[in-house]
Amino acid sequence: MKRGILSHIILDSYILCIIIALSLILTAIADIGIAWYGKVMLDSAVQLKINPNNILQYLLLGIAVNSLGGIATFISNYSIMRLIKKSILKIRISFFTGIQKMTFLKLQEIGPSTLITRFNVDVNAIESAINNGILIIKNPFIAIVVFVYLASINWKYAIFTIIVGPASLLTGRLFGKKFKKLNELLLKSNDELNNFINDSVPGSITIRAYSMQNYLIKYFKEISQKTYNIENRINILTSLLQGLSWLLVGIPFSLIFIAGGIFVTRGDISVGELLIFLQLSNKVTYPFVGLGTQIAQFRQAKASLERLEEVINTEDIEMISNVTTPVEPLNIVKIEYENVSLSIKDKLILKNINFTLYSNESIAIVGENGSGKSTLLNTIIGLYQIKTGKIKFNDEDIKAFDLLRIRSSITYISQVPFIFEINVEDSLKKVKHDIMSEQDNIKIKHFIEQMLLFDKAYELKILRNGINISQGQKQRLAIARGLTNIKNVVLFDEPFASLDPVSIKGFLEVIDEIKKNRILVVVNHFVSTFAHFDKIIFLKNGEIRAIGPHDKLMETNREYNQFCKILESKT
């Protein structure tokens, strides 16, 4: 059974926990010392024993006792806040590491927007939970030390200071499960809100083009109202819990004052000792007053903790080594698929895929939307774990290689390019480990320059998500970035989608240079470019229906011929 992330962090920070425990003891002693000082002064005043000549001594004693309290408070608060911030730091790093290590399939299953919400909302909830958890330990700890001291003065009166505990704990127990259930609903509702915003804002052009603003506003109001209703129910419970706690505590607390008067009247305790009880009883009763609320809030945050641990402790991880420096790439000259099938959530995406790719070849994967083209491309870099069939590099099973080494051997340009928030020149350097060698083809270098032919391209500061450059410029930048770090295997997913005719022509010319001593695979929808590739892999419903040169397939495969004609008529 795995340790929870919080217990793991606390056990790793045992020295800090020891310091906190010692500082809490010091705090309790300081509280007792301050109360004792008040008792001495009050009893002396009642008995008329205060000597005006000793005022300086009394003052110095007061300063000493309060200084002890100040030092204890500083050490305690600093240590607690450091433990909290250290815990949150480790949780954030563990959560981000979990995201990076989880399988691509698991990442898609949870959803990027949901993960962003968990990172922001749930981590804050856990910070509050840790703080409450420390209070749950801290306040009763001080209460026990104080109670022992009060019992040494008069154990009967000391009993009256703890009679409020069970009632307060009962309220926390009563509402705890309800808090947790409501918080789970709130987290799901917040996920829905954040996912809706993340989906709708980037699609603002389409939304306006189809006049969908009013519909989306209406829908957003509905899910916002749903979230508000859940938050309001939590607020009602919280207020009710606090009100009940004070009601259940207030009545017994009155008994403490009544009992104090009786004990003083009977001579069981002095007036100064009554002051100690009244001053320190709050240290004993307050932890129980707040304990019910803190336990409820802690259970409420448990839902957030479980969501974070789903990512941190996920077993759906990629088998990749923890190396941050460049690894020696593979010299891949042959890629072979043997009866490869892939199912995602019980849906068959790829079925009995068989083909062989060799160096010095350019291959286009074509087919209708949803036929499995991008999925097939993604299996080459190990984004999906194949359970049926084999993928081989140079006649060796892909599973024999570390994923980091595989991906270091492949240049991959995705359909939706990821744009760094830096200038273009630095963006190109992001993927480079070494300066391009003199042997790099001059035509490829020239094409990179052609890809970046917009005003002051190299000096341009790219804003977040590349909002200050066009989609075509993003695609050209992604291609240029890939070509600055070109490997033995080059994969492109829809590279022509956002390119103008001039850029497409230049890209086709450079393909012949790229494929020299390399395997080049392109997912392609542009039928006018099919003939430029050495080999076509035609997919339909996850199956390969034809493999071969474009011209030959047009003559021999009726299904491929019909597909090309339909595609050509659309473009």
Side-chain angles (χ1 to χ4, degrees):
M1 185 176 178
K2 291 186 177 180
R3 278 192 296 172
I5 181 66
L6 285 182
S7 60
H8 180 84
I9 290 170
I10 291 172
L11 288 173
D12 285 348
S13 306
Y14 67 92
I15 295 178
L16 201 55
C17 292
I18 292 172
I19 294 174
I20 291 173
L22 293 175
S23 67
L24 292 180
I25 293 174
L26 194 61
T27 301
I29 292 172
D31 288 333
I32 292 171
I34 293 169
W36 170 81
Y37 176 74
K39 173 218 179 257
V40 170
M41 296 304 299
L42 186 58
D43 282 344
S44 298
V46 171
Q47 298 171 15
L48 303 176
K49 291 182 178 180
I50 293 182
N51 186 348
N53 297 325
N54 295 329
I55 292 296
L56 181 60
Q57 294 178 7
Y58 297 142
L59 179 61
L60 291 174
L61 180 61
I63 292 174
V65 172
N66 282 281
S67 296
L68 178 63
I71 293 171
T73 301
F74 166 75
I75 296 174
S76 173
N77 290 345
Y78 172 76
S79 301
I80 288 172
M81 289 307 300
R82 182 171 177 179
L83 178 62
I84 291 173
K85 296 304 178 182
K86 185 178 180 181
S87 300
I88 294 303
L89 172 65
K90 289 188 176 182
I91 287 173
R92 284 186 177 132
I93 293 173
S94 298
F95 185 75
F96 187 78
T97 301
I99 293 174
Q100 299 305 316
K101 289 191 173 183
M102 71 169 51
T103 61
F104 184 64
L105 188 59
K106 184 67 175 179
L107 187 64
Q108 288 181 313
E109 180 185 322
I110 298 176
S113 297
T114 299
L115 289 170
I116 292 171
T117 301
R118 293 186 187 186
F119 187 81
N120 294 323
V121 177
D122 291 347
V123 169
N124 289 335
I126 296 305
E127 183 170 2
S128 176
I130 296 173
N131 187 49
N132 281 325
I134 290 175
L135 289 176
I136 289 173
I137 299 170
K138 171 187 173 182
N139 291 335
F141 183 87
I142 294 176
I144 291 170
V145 176
V146 171
F147 176 77
V148 170
Y149 174 69
L150 293 179
S152 68
I153 297 174
N154 189 294
W155 67 269
K156 293 180 181 179
Y157 191 25
I159 294 298
F160 278 89
T161 63
I162 61 170
I163 60 177
V164 299
S168 298
L169 288 174
L170 180 63
T171 58
R173 182 72 178 174
L174 184 65
F175 292 105
K177 291 183 178 179
K178 190 68 175 176
F179 266 117
K180 184 175 183 291
K181 184 177 180 181
L182 281 175
N183 198 59
E184 288 174 348
L185 292 175
L186 181 61
L187 291 171
K188 289 180 181 178
S189 185
N190 279 328
D191 280 348
E192 189 177 2
L193 265 176
N194 284 284
N195 290 342
F196 180 76
I197 293 172
N198 288 333
D199 291 341
S200 60
V201 173
S204 56
I205 296 176
T206 304
I207 290 168
R208 284 160 176 76
Y210 286 90
S211 301
M212 296 173 64
Q213 294 101 311
N214 291 334
Y215 168 76
L216 294 179
I217 290 171
K218 179 183 177 182
Y219 181 72
F220 185 76
K221 284 181 178 178
E222 290 175 358
I223 57 178
S224 296
Q225 184 66 43
K226 176 183 171 184
T227 304
Y228 167 77
N229 291 340
I230 298 172
E231 290 173 333
N232 192 47
R233 289 167 65 187
I234 293 175
N235 183 43
I236 291 172
L237 270 183
T238 303
S239 302
L240 183 60
L241 174 61
Q242 292 171 344
L244 281 174
S245 295
W246 280 111
L247 178 63
L248 292 171
V249 168
I251 296 173
F253 200 84
S254 300
L255 297 176
I256 294 176
F257 289 95
I258 296 172
I262 294 173
F263 278 108
V264 171
T265 302
R266 289 167 45 182
D268 293 335
I269 59 175
S270 67
V271 175
E273 288 171 335
L274 174 62
L275 176 66
I276 288 180
F277 271 91
L278 295 179
Q279 187 173 348
L280 292 180
S281 62
N282 185 53
K283 298 290 183 181
V284 177
T285 57
Y286 175 75
F288 292 108
V289 175
L291 195 57
T293 304
Q294 290 156 7
I295 290 175
Q297 291 174 343
F298 195 75
R299 295 191 66 172
Q300 179 183 352
K302 189 178 178 183
S304 295
L305 182 61
E306 289 170 355
R307 282 159 49 102
L308 291 176
E309 289 188 331
E310 180 190 359
V311 175
I312 294 171
N313 295 328
T314 181
E315 295 181 356
D316 297 316
I317 60 173
E318 293 186 331
M319 302 308 293
I320 190 166
S321 58
N322 296 318
V323 178
T324 56
T325 55
V327 298
E328 183 67 26
L330 300 167
N331 183 24
I332 303 173
V333 296
K334 179 183 177 184
I335 298 176
E336 186 176 3
Y337 275 58
E338 293 181 354
N339 300 315
V340 171
S341 295
L342 174 66
S343 294
I344 299 177
K345 291 185 178 180
D346 298 325
K347 182 180 179 182
L348 192 62
I349 307 299
L350 299 175
K351 182 179 179 182
N352 295 329
I353 302 297
N354 291 277
F355 62 79
T356 304
L357 309 178
Y358 295 96
S359 188
N360 295 303
E361 273 190 335
S362 61
I363 301 96
I365 302 175
V366 305
E368 299 172 350
N369 289 332
S371 60
K373 302 184 299 296
S374 295
T375 302
L376 178 59
L377 195 73
N378 289 337
T379 59
I380 298 177
I381 59 172
L383 286 183
Y384 295 104
Q385 306 301 312
I386 299 299
K387 295 182 180 179
T388 304
K390 287 185 178 181
I391 302 175
K392 295 181 178 181
F393 289 165
N394 303 338
D395 297 320
E396 193 167 353
D397 196 322
I398 189 175
K399 295 177 182 178
F401 303 107
D402 182 80
L403 277 175
L404 187 62
R405 194 175 183 201
I406 290 172
R407 291 168 186 171
S408 298
S409 311
I410 297 173
T411 297
Y412 178 82
I413 292 89
S414 67
Q415 188 173 355
V416 181
F418 176 76
I419 303 299
F420 296 100
E421 194 177 348
I422 50 181
N423 64 43
V424 171
E425 186 174 12
D426 289 338
S427 181
L428 295 177
K429 290 177 181 178
K430 271 284 181 184
V431 293
K432 291 176 66 178
H433 300 307
D434 300 299
I435 299 173
M436 293 181 68
S437 65
E438 293 297 326
Q439 288 75 27
D440 280 346
N441 193 283
I442 296 175
K443 198 167 187 178
I444 294 176
K445 287 184 178 181
H446 176 70
F447 180 70
I448 292 172
E449 293 173 359
Q450 292 295 315
M451 286 286 95
L452 298 172
L453 276 184
F454 45 94
D455 291 340
K456 298 181 179 179
Y458 280 95
E459 293 80 22
L460 179 65
K461 176 71 165 70
I462 301 173
L463 300 181
R464 188 180 182 187
N465 296 324
I467 60 173
N468 60 329
I469 60 177
S470 70
Q471 190 60 37
Q473 288 171 332
K474 289 180 187 177
Q475 188 68 28
R476 286 153 62 186
L477 175 57
I479 293 172
R481 190 171 61 196
L483 296 180
T484 59
N485 194 40
I486 199 162
K487 305 292 185 179
N488 288 101
V489 178
V490 184
L491 310 178
F492 290 95
D493 193 356
E494 300 286 4
F496 304 115
S498 300
L499 297 183
D500 57 75
V502 175
S503 296
I504 290 175
K505 182 180 178 182
F507 184 63
L508 290 173
E509 289 176 357
V510 86
I511 279 178
D512 292 332
E513 300 298 329
I514 294 175
K515 75 176 185 181
K516 290 177 180 178
N517 300 316
R518 295 183 180 93
I519 299 173
L520 184 140
V521 185
V522 178
V523 171
N524 193 0
H525 263 121
F526 278 68
V527 66
S528 61
T529 65
F530 288 2
H532 198 88
F533 293 87
D534 300 318
K535 187 187 293 182
I536 300 292
I537 296 178
F538 175 47
L539 285 178
K540 187 171 184 179
N541 298 326
E543 294 183 85
I544 294 180
R545 295 300 181 90
I547 298 180
H550 170 72
D551 293 338
K552 184 177 180 180
L553 293 181
M554 289 293 288
E555 295 176 1
T556 60
N557 191 289
R558 182 179 178 183
E559 194 173 24
Y560 177 77
N561 185 296
Q562 187 178 11
F563 162 75
C564 289
K565 287 181 178 179
I566 293 173
L567 196 61
E568 189 173 12
S569 67
K570 291 180 179 179
T571 56

